[in-house]
Short mmCIF file of all heavy atoms in Angstrom, two decimals:
data_model
loop_
_atom_site.label_atom_id
_atom_site.label_comp_id
_atom_site.label_asym_id
_atom_site.label_seq_id
_atom_site.Cartn_x
_atom_site.Cartn_y
_atom_site.Cartn_z
N ASP A 1253 115.17 106.47 -51.24
CA ASP A 1253 114.47 107.14 -52.34
C ASP A 1253 115.48 107.75 -53.29
O ASP A 1253 116.54 108.24 -52.87
CB ASP A 1253 113.54 108.23 -51.79
CG ASP A 1253 112.30 107.64 -51.16
OD1 ASP A 1253 112.08 106.43 -51.30
OD2 ASP A 1253 111.54 108.40 -50.52
N PRO A 1254 115.17 107.74 -54.59
CA PRO A 1254 113.94 107.24 -55.21
C PRO A 1254 114.04 105.79 -55.67
O PRO A 1254 113.25 105.35 -56.52
CB PRO A 1254 113.78 108.17 -56.42
CG PRO A 1254 115.19 108.43 -56.85
CD PRO A 1254 116.01 108.47 -55.58
N MET A 1255 115.02 105.02 -55.15
CA MET A 1255 115.14 103.61 -55.53
C MET A 1255 113.90 102.84 -55.09
O MET A 1255 113.36 103.08 -54.01
CB MET A 1255 116.37 102.97 -54.89
CG MET A 1255 117.69 103.67 -55.18
SD MET A 1255 118.22 103.52 -56.90
CE MET A 1255 118.20 105.26 -57.38
N ILE A 1256 113.48 101.89 -55.92
CA ILE A 1256 112.37 101.00 -55.57
C ILE A 1256 112.97 99.69 -55.07
O ILE A 1256 113.76 99.06 -55.79
CB ILE A 1256 111.46 100.72 -56.78
CG1 ILE A 1256 110.98 102.02 -57.41
CG2 ILE A 1256 110.29 99.84 -56.37
CD1 ILE A 1256 110.26 101.82 -58.74
N ASP A 1257 112.63 99.30 -53.85
CA ASP A 1257 113.09 97.99 -53.38
C ASP A 1257 112.14 96.92 -53.88
O ASP A 1257 110.92 97.11 -53.93
CB ASP A 1257 113.20 97.97 -51.85
CG ASP A 1257 111.87 98.20 -51.15
OD1 ASP A 1257 111.17 99.16 -51.52
OD2 ASP A 1257 111.54 97.43 -50.24
N THR A 1258 112.69 95.77 -54.29
CA THR A 1258 111.89 94.72 -54.92
C THR A 1258 112.24 93.37 -54.32
O THR A 1258 113.22 93.22 -53.59
CB THR A 1258 112.13 94.69 -56.44
OG1 THR A 1258 113.49 94.26 -56.69
CG2 THR A 1258 111.90 96.05 -57.08
N CYS A 1259 111.46 92.37 -54.68
CA CYS A 1259 111.55 91.04 -54.08
C CYS A 1259 112.04 90.01 -55.10
O CYS A 1259 111.65 90.04 -56.27
CB CYS A 1259 110.18 90.63 -53.54
SG CYS A 1259 110.17 89.04 -52.65
N ASN A 1260 112.89 89.08 -54.64
CA ASN A 1260 113.29 87.90 -55.41
C ASN A 1260 112.97 86.65 -54.61
O ASN A 1260 113.13 86.65 -53.38
CB ASN A 1260 114.80 87.91 -55.70
CG ASN A 1260 115.26 89.08 -56.55
OD1 ASN A 1260 114.46 89.79 -57.13
ND2 ASN A 1260 116.56 89.26 -56.63
N GLY A 1261 112.57 85.58 -55.27
CA GLY A 1261 112.32 84.34 -54.56
C GLY A 1261 111.39 83.42 -55.33
O GLY A 1261 111.05 83.65 -56.49
N PHE A 1262 110.96 82.36 -54.67
CA PHE A 1262 109.96 81.47 -55.25
C PHE A 1262 108.56 82.05 -55.08
O PHE A 1262 107.68 81.84 -55.92
CB PHE A 1262 110.04 80.08 -54.62
CG PHE A 1262 111.30 79.33 -54.95
CD1 PHE A 1262 112.22 79.01 -53.97
CD2 PHE A 1262 111.58 78.95 -56.26
CE1 PHE A 1262 113.38 78.31 -54.28
CE2 PHE A 1262 112.73 78.26 -56.58
CZ PHE A 1262 113.64 77.94 -55.60
N TYR A 1263 108.35 82.76 -53.96
CA TYR A 1263 107.07 83.43 -53.68
C TYR A 1263 107.37 84.80 -53.09
O TYR A 1263 108.33 84.96 -52.35
CB TYR A 1263 106.23 82.63 -52.67
CG TYR A 1263 106.08 81.17 -53.00
CD1 TYR A 1263 106.95 80.22 -52.46
CD2 TYR A 1263 105.07 80.71 -53.83
CE1 TYR A 1263 106.82 78.88 -52.75
CE2 TYR A 1263 104.93 79.36 -54.12
CZ TYR A 1263 105.81 78.45 -53.58
OH TYR A 1263 105.68 77.12 -53.87
N CYS A 1264 106.53 85.77 -53.40
CA CYS A 1264 106.76 87.13 -52.87
C CYS A 1264 105.46 87.83 -52.49
O CYS A 1264 105.43 89.05 -52.37
CB CYS A 1264 107.51 87.98 -53.89
SG CYS A 1264 109.30 87.73 -53.89
N GLU A 1265 104.38 87.08 -52.29
CA GLU A 1265 103.10 87.75 -52.04
C GLU A 1265 103.10 88.54 -50.74
O GLU A 1265 102.37 89.52 -50.60
CB GLU A 1265 101.94 86.73 -52.04
CG GLU A 1265 101.89 85.79 -50.85
CD GLU A 1265 102.81 84.59 -51.00
OE1 GLU A 1265 103.44 84.44 -52.07
OE2 GLU A 1265 102.90 83.79 -50.05
N LYS A 1266 103.93 88.17 -49.77
CA LYS A 1266 103.95 88.86 -48.48
C LYS A 1266 104.89 90.06 -48.47
O LYS A 1266 104.94 90.80 -47.48
CB LYS A 1266 104.34 87.88 -47.37
CG LYS A 1266 103.31 86.77 -47.16
CD LYS A 1266 103.75 85.83 -46.04
CE LYS A 1266 102.72 84.71 -45.86
NZ LYS A 1266 103.13 83.76 -44.78
N PHE A 1267 105.62 90.25 -49.54
CA PHE A 1267 106.55 91.36 -49.61
C PHE A 1267 105.80 92.70 -49.65
O PHE A 1267 104.77 92.83 -50.31
CB PHE A 1267 107.41 91.22 -50.88
CG PHE A 1267 108.18 92.46 -51.24
CD1 PHE A 1267 109.32 92.81 -50.56
CD2 PHE A 1267 107.74 93.28 -52.28
CE1 PHE A 1267 110.03 93.95 -50.89
CE2 PHE A 1267 108.44 94.42 -52.63
CZ PHE A 1267 109.60 94.76 -51.93
N THR A 1268 106.36 93.69 -48.94
CA THR A 1268 105.81 95.05 -48.95
C THR A 1268 106.95 96.03 -49.21
O THR A 1268 107.99 95.96 -48.54
CB THR A 1268 105.15 95.39 -47.60
OG1 THR A 1268 104.12 94.44 -47.34
CG2 THR A 1268 104.54 96.78 -47.64
N PRO A 1269 106.81 96.95 -50.16
CA PRO A 1269 107.86 97.95 -50.39
C PRO A 1269 108.12 98.77 -49.13
O PRO A 1269 107.25 98.89 -48.25
CB PRO A 1269 107.29 98.81 -51.52
CG PRO A 1269 106.25 97.97 -52.17
CD PRO A 1269 105.68 97.10 -51.09
N ASN A 1270 109.31 99.38 -49.05
CA ASN A 1270 109.67 100.09 -47.83
C ASN A 1270 109.02 101.46 -47.69
O ASN A 1270 109.16 102.11 -46.65
CB ASN A 1270 111.20 100.21 -47.70
CG ASN A 1270 111.84 101.03 -48.81
OD1 ASN A 1270 111.15 101.70 -49.58
ND2 ASN A 1270 113.16 100.99 -48.89
N LYS A 1271 108.34 101.91 -48.75
CA LYS A 1271 107.58 103.16 -48.66
C LYS A 1271 106.21 102.94 -49.29
O LYS A 1271 106.09 102.22 -50.30
CB LYS A 1271 108.31 104.30 -49.40
CG LYS A 1271 109.65 104.69 -48.76
CD LYS A 1271 109.46 105.36 -47.40
CE LYS A 1271 110.79 105.64 -46.71
NZ LYS A 1271 111.67 106.53 -47.47
N PRO A 1272 105.17 103.56 -48.75
CA PRO A 1272 103.81 103.29 -49.23
C PRO A 1272 103.55 103.82 -50.64
O PRO A 1272 102.54 103.45 -51.25
CB PRO A 1272 102.92 103.99 -48.20
CG PRO A 1272 103.80 105.04 -47.58
CD PRO A 1272 105.17 104.46 -47.58
N TYR A 1273 104.42 104.65 -51.18
CA TYR A 1273 104.20 105.20 -52.51
C TYR A 1273 105.02 104.47 -53.59
O TYR A 1273 105.12 104.95 -54.71
CB TYR A 1273 104.52 106.70 -52.53
CG TYR A 1273 105.80 107.08 -51.82
CD1 TYR A 1273 107.05 106.92 -52.43
CD2 TYR A 1273 105.74 107.61 -50.53
CE1 TYR A 1273 108.22 107.27 -51.76
CE2 TYR A 1273 106.91 107.97 -49.86
CZ TYR A 1273 108.15 107.79 -50.48
OH TYR A 1273 109.30 108.13 -49.81
N LYS A 1274 105.58 103.32 -53.25
CA LYS A 1274 106.33 102.54 -54.23
C LYS A 1274 105.53 101.32 -54.67
O LYS A 1274 104.80 100.73 -53.86
CB LYS A 1274 107.68 102.10 -53.64
CG LYS A 1274 108.61 103.25 -53.31
CD LYS A 1274 109.93 102.75 -52.72
CE LYS A 1274 110.84 103.92 -52.34
NZ LYS A 1274 112.13 103.46 -51.75
N PRO A 1275 105.67 100.90 -55.93
CA PRO A 1275 104.93 99.73 -56.40
C PRO A 1275 105.52 98.44 -55.87
O PRO A 1275 106.71 98.37 -55.52
CB PRO A 1275 105.07 99.83 -57.92
CG PRO A 1275 106.37 100.53 -58.13
CD PRO A 1275 106.49 101.51 -56.99
N LYS A 1276 104.70 97.42 -55.85
CA LYS A 1276 105.11 96.09 -55.36
C LYS A 1276 105.60 95.27 -56.55
O LYS A 1276 104.81 94.94 -57.44
CB LYS A 1276 103.92 95.42 -54.67
CG LYS A 1276 104.21 94.06 -54.08
CD LYS A 1276 103.03 93.59 -53.25
CE LYS A 1276 103.24 92.20 -52.70
NZ LYS A 1276 102.16 91.79 -51.78
N MET A 1277 106.91 94.96 -56.55
CA MET A 1277 107.54 94.35 -57.72
C MET A 1277 108.26 93.05 -57.36
O MET A 1277 108.93 92.96 -56.33
CB MET A 1277 108.52 95.34 -58.36
CG MET A 1277 107.87 96.63 -58.84
SD MET A 1277 109.08 97.81 -59.49
CE MET A 1277 109.73 96.90 -60.87
N PHE A 1278 108.15 92.08 -58.24
CA PHE A 1278 108.72 90.73 -58.10
C PHE A 1278 109.77 90.60 -59.21
O PHE A 1278 109.46 90.19 -60.32
CB PHE A 1278 107.58 89.71 -58.27
CG PHE A 1278 107.84 88.34 -57.75
CD1 PHE A 1278 106.76 87.47 -57.55
CD2 PHE A 1278 109.11 87.87 -57.45
CE1 PHE A 1278 106.95 86.18 -57.07
CE2 PHE A 1278 109.31 86.59 -56.97
CZ PHE A 1278 108.22 85.74 -56.78
N THR A 1279 111.02 90.95 -58.91
CA THR A 1279 112.02 91.04 -59.98
C THR A 1279 112.64 89.70 -60.35
O THR A 1279 113.25 89.58 -61.41
CB THR A 1279 113.15 92.01 -59.60
OG1 THR A 1279 113.46 91.87 -58.22
CG2 THR A 1279 112.75 93.44 -59.89
N GLU A 1280 112.53 88.71 -59.48
CA GLU A 1280 113.00 87.37 -59.84
C GLU A 1280 112.04 86.34 -59.26
O GLU A 1280 112.10 86.01 -58.08
CB GLU A 1280 114.42 87.10 -59.31
CG GLU A 1280 115.51 87.85 -60.03
CD GLU A 1280 116.91 87.39 -59.59
OE1 GLU A 1280 117.02 86.30 -58.99
OE2 GLU A 1280 117.87 88.13 -59.85
N LEU A 1281 111.15 85.83 -60.10
CA LEU A 1281 110.35 84.67 -59.74
C LEU A 1281 111.08 83.47 -60.35
O LEU A 1281 111.14 83.31 -61.57
CB LEU A 1281 108.92 84.77 -60.30
CG LEU A 1281 107.91 83.76 -59.79
CD1 LEU A 1281 106.49 84.22 -60.12
CD2 LEU A 1281 108.11 82.36 -60.34
N TRP A 1282 111.64 82.63 -59.51
CA TRP A 1282 112.52 81.57 -59.97
C TRP A 1282 111.71 80.43 -60.59
O TRP A 1282 110.94 79.75 -59.89
CB TRP A 1282 113.39 81.08 -58.81
CG TRP A 1282 114.23 82.19 -58.24
CD1 TRP A 1282 114.75 83.26 -58.91
CD2 TRP A 1282 114.63 82.37 -56.87
NE1 TRP A 1282 115.47 84.08 -58.07
CE2 TRP A 1282 115.41 83.56 -56.80
CE3 TRP A 1282 114.42 81.64 -55.70
CZ2 TRP A 1282 115.96 84.03 -55.61
CZ3 TRP A 1282 114.99 82.10 -54.51
CH2 TRP A 1282 115.74 83.28 -54.48
N THR A 1283 111.88 80.24 -61.89
CA THR A 1283 111.10 79.24 -62.63
C THR A 1283 111.62 77.83 -62.41
O THR A 1283 110.99 76.86 -62.82
CB THR A 1283 111.12 79.54 -64.13
OG1 THR A 1283 112.48 79.56 -64.59
CG2 THR A 1283 110.46 80.88 -64.42
N GLY A 1284 112.77 77.70 -61.83
CA GLY A 1284 113.39 76.42 -61.51
C GLY A 1284 114.59 76.72 -60.63
O GLY A 1284 114.50 77.50 -59.69
N TRP A 1285 115.72 76.11 -60.99
CA TRP A 1285 116.94 76.36 -60.22
C TRP A 1285 118.11 75.93 -61.09
O TRP A 1285 117.94 75.18 -62.07
CB TRP A 1285 116.91 75.56 -58.92
CG TRP A 1285 117.84 76.06 -57.85
CD1 TRP A 1285 118.90 75.40 -57.32
CD2 TRP A 1285 117.78 77.32 -57.15
NE1 TRP A 1285 119.52 76.16 -56.34
CE2 TRP A 1285 118.85 77.34 -56.22
CE3 TRP A 1285 116.93 78.42 -57.23
CZ2 TRP A 1285 119.10 78.43 -55.38
CZ3 TRP A 1285 117.17 79.50 -56.40
CH2 TRP A 1285 118.23 79.51 -55.48
N PHE A 1286 119.29 76.41 -60.75
CA PHE A 1286 120.47 76.02 -61.51
C PHE A 1286 120.88 74.59 -61.18
O PHE A 1286 120.51 74.04 -60.13
CB PHE A 1286 121.63 76.98 -61.24
CG PHE A 1286 122.02 77.11 -59.79
CD1 PHE A 1286 122.87 76.19 -59.20
CD2 PHE A 1286 121.55 78.16 -59.03
CE1 PHE A 1286 123.23 76.30 -57.86
CE2 PHE A 1286 121.91 78.30 -57.69
CZ PHE A 1286 122.74 77.36 -57.10
N THR A 1287 121.65 73.99 -62.08
CA THR A 1287 122.14 72.63 -61.89
C THR A 1287 123.62 72.67 -61.55
O THR A 1287 124.39 73.41 -62.14
CB THR A 1287 121.93 71.79 -63.16
OG1 THR A 1287 120.55 71.81 -63.53
CG2 THR A 1287 122.35 70.34 -62.95
N GLU A 1288 124.03 71.86 -60.59
CA GLU A 1288 125.44 71.75 -60.22
C GLU A 1288 125.97 70.39 -60.66
O GLU A 1288 125.24 69.39 -60.68
CB GLU A 1288 125.61 71.91 -58.71
CG GLU A 1288 124.91 70.84 -57.90
CD GLU A 1288 125.04 71.02 -56.40
OE1 GLU A 1288 126.09 70.60 -55.87
OE2 GLU A 1288 124.11 71.56 -55.79
N PHE A 1289 127.24 70.36 -61.04
CA PHE A 1289 127.88 69.07 -61.30
C PHE A 1289 127.85 68.25 -60.01
O PHE A 1289 128.28 68.72 -58.95
CB PHE A 1289 129.32 69.26 -61.75
CG PHE A 1289 129.46 69.76 -63.17
CD1 PHE A 1289 130.10 70.96 -63.43
CD2 PHE A 1289 128.95 69.03 -64.23
CE1 PHE A 1289 130.24 71.42 -64.73
CE2 PHE A 1289 129.08 69.49 -65.54
CZ PHE A 1289 129.73 70.68 -65.79
N GLY A 1290 127.32 67.05 -60.11
CA GLY A 1290 127.15 66.20 -58.95
C GLY A 1290 125.77 66.29 -58.34
O GLY A 1290 125.47 65.59 -57.37
N GLY A 1291 124.92 67.15 -58.89
CA GLY A 1291 123.56 67.30 -58.38
C GLY A 1291 122.52 66.92 -59.42
O GLY A 1291 122.81 66.89 -60.62
N PRO A 1292 121.29 66.65 -58.99
CA PRO A 1292 120.21 66.35 -59.93
C PRO A 1292 119.74 67.62 -60.64
O PRO A 1292 120.19 68.73 -60.33
CB PRO A 1292 119.11 65.78 -59.04
CG PRO A 1292 119.36 66.42 -57.70
CD PRO A 1292 120.84 66.61 -57.59
N ILE A 1293 118.85 67.44 -61.61
CA ILE A 1293 118.34 68.58 -62.38
C ILE A 1293 117.03 69.06 -61.74
O ILE A 1293 116.05 68.34 -61.69
CB ILE A 1293 118.11 68.19 -63.84
CG1 ILE A 1293 119.44 67.78 -64.48
CG2 ILE A 1293 117.46 69.33 -64.61
CD1 ILE A 1293 119.32 67.30 -65.92
N PRO A 1294 117.02 70.30 -61.22
CA PRO A 1294 115.80 70.81 -60.59
C PRO A 1294 114.74 71.20 -61.62
O PRO A 1294 115.06 71.72 -62.69
CB PRO A 1294 116.28 72.06 -59.83
CG PRO A 1294 117.79 71.99 -59.85
CD PRO A 1294 118.14 71.24 -61.09
N THR A 1295 113.50 70.95 -61.30
CA THR A 1295 112.38 71.42 -62.11
C THR A 1295 111.35 72.04 -61.16
O THR A 1295 111.35 71.77 -59.95
CB THR A 1295 111.71 70.28 -62.90
OG1 THR A 1295 111.16 69.31 -61.99
CG2 THR A 1295 112.71 69.59 -63.82
N ARG A 1296 110.49 72.89 -61.73
CA ARG A 1296 109.41 73.47 -60.93
C ARG A 1296 108.12 73.38 -61.73
O ARG A 1296 108.04 73.87 -62.86
CB ARG A 1296 109.70 74.93 -60.59
CG ARG A 1296 108.65 75.52 -59.63
CD ARG A 1296 108.92 76.98 -59.27
NE ARG A 1296 107.95 77.46 -58.30
CZ ARG A 1296 107.83 78.72 -57.89
NH1 ARG A 1296 108.67 79.65 -58.37
NH2 ARG A 1296 106.91 79.07 -57.01
N PRO A 1297 107.09 72.76 -61.17
CA PRO A 1297 105.83 72.60 -61.89
C PRO A 1297 105.23 73.95 -62.25
O PRO A 1297 105.24 74.89 -61.45
CB PRO A 1297 104.93 71.84 -60.91
CG PRO A 1297 105.88 71.16 -59.98
CD PRO A 1297 107.06 72.08 -59.86
#
């Protein structure tokens, strides 16, 4: 406290903050993924 712990990922619906008086926040919903040299181009519907 008073930091708010938050979730990053493709999905975060099961995430629960570490204290009951903190809001449920999704700070990184990944809209795709980065591309690497030698790799294909990721997309997300």
Side-chain angles (χ1 to χ4, degrees):
D1253 285 351
M1255 304 291 117
I1256 306 171
D1257 62 311
T1258 67
C1259 184
N1260 297 348
F1262 292 115
Y1263 310 94
C1264 278
E1265 71 277 356
K1266 295 180 181 179
F1267 166 77
T1268 302
N1270 64 11
K1271 294 291 175 60
Y1273 44 80
K1274 296 179 182 179
K1276 182 172 177 174
M1277 299 176 62
F1278 199 164
T1279 39
E1280 288 188 18
L1281 191 165
W1282 300 328
T1283 58
W1285 200 244
F1286 57 83
T1287 304
E1288 62 182 278
F1289 286 120
I1293 298 177
T1295 63
R1296 186 180 184 187

